[in-house]
Amino acid sequence: MSHAELGRVVMVVPTYNEATNLEWIVRRLRAAHPSVEVLVVDDGSPDGTGAIADAIAAEDPAVSVLHRERKEGLGAAYLHGFRVALEAGYDVIGEMDADGSHQPEQLHRLLDALADADLVIGSRWVPGGSVVNWPITRTALSRGGNLYVRLLLGVGVHDATAGYRLFRRTALEKIDLTSVRSTGYVFQTDLVWRTLQAGLRVREVPIEFVERVRGDSKMSGAVAAESLRKITAWGLHERRKQLSRALHRRTR
């Protein structure tokens, strides 16, 4: 189906040391969806990723590059990219990894679902979703982490940590990006939570997530632990608010 009614679409692709992957994934994206533009946000990669991005952009006017001086975390890179995309007037602003784990050939699933949503998530953990080349321990960690998010925050999203997603610009404007302080991977859960708190529509569509075959993953035990601590703090804060509201209703 045509996605012209969605307006201008850009995928924000953060990079840090993705020299072996960037051109490959951008070429795939532009071939699969010629009308979708690309904004590469490079965090000062020492392996030359930024120069590769510039070379791609020099050949393709639908590709632009945002150079940041240093690595400050995934969330910080996305926030910068979102601000630039909003200022440029894009109607739909997306996220995807540069390592090939998010397949550009499946982007149409997210675009289709955005017809009646404010945020669409490409989910590994809904019926039809899957992961390729993950050890059972990482699968268990991701499934368990997302179950924890659902139970603690009381949300119905099955893959709140996913990084393949599309936002309507109106959604990003409503959740107030200037107040977001998450800079690491917990940024993904933070924005889902904020979107739901704002009363906006979130949909999940199944994707096949493919573990990277080139380069090094940025995920680590320390990163996962940081995310867990922040989500726990949010959840406890929300439970206290719910309890306070319940007590207030009972005492009126």
Side-chain angles (χ1 to χ4, degrees), residues 125-189:
W125 310 128
V126 295
S130 61
V131 296
V132 176
N133 296 329
W134 264 16
I136 191 170
T137 50
R138 187 166 177 190
T139 297
L141 180 64
S142 180
R143 280 187 174 275
N146 276 288
L147 176 60
Y148 185 72
V149 169
R150 289 202 303 280
L151 294 174
L152 193 63
L153 298 182
V155 301
V157 175
H158 290 79
D159 201 353
T161 60
Y164 200 8
R165 43 179 80 178
L166 294 176
F167 290 91
R168 289 186 179 272
R169 70 171 292 119
T170 50
L172 290 178
E173 288 169 343
K174 189 168 184 179
I175 61 179
D176 184 19
L177 294 178
T178 60
S179 68
V180 176
R181 296 293 177 263
S182 305
T183 56
Y185 280 82
V186 74
F187 168 84
Q188 305 291 18
T189 303

Side-chain angles (χ1 to χ4, degrees), residues 35-159:
S35 64
V36 174
E37 299 180 45
V38 182
L39 172 59
V40 177
V41 183
D42 186 62
D43 271 1
S45 300
D47 72 343
T49 300
I52 292 171
D54 286 338
I56 299 169
E59 294 181 7
D60 187 345
V63 178
S64 55
V65 187
L66 180 60
H67 293 280
R68 291 164 53 82
E69 292 184 0
R70 59 188 179 277
K71 185 179 180 183
E72 294 179 324
L74 182 73
Y78 269 131
L79 285 171
H80 196 166
F82 287 175
R83 286 194 296 269
V84 169
L86 287 169
E87 289 169 3
Y90 288 100
D91 302 292
V92 176
I93 300 169
E95 303 180 15
M96 69 180 295
D97 291 346
D99 61 10
S101 56
H102 300 141
Q103 300 178 69
E105 297 79 11
Q106 296 184 349
L107 180 59
H108 65 93
R109 301 181 185 181
L110 283 72
L111 290 164
D112 289 348
L114 199 62
D116 59 357
D118 299 293
L119 163 61
V120 175
I121 299 171
S123 176
R124 299 159 291 187
W125 310 128
V126 295
S130 61
V131 296
V132 176
N133 296 329
W134 264 16
I136 191 170
T137 50
R138 187 166 177 190
T139 297
L141 180 64
S142 180
R143 280 187 174 275
N146 276 288
L147 176 60
Y148 185 72
V149 169
R150 289 202 303 280
L151 294 174
L152 193 63
L153 298 182
V155 301
V157 175
H158 290 79
D159 201 353

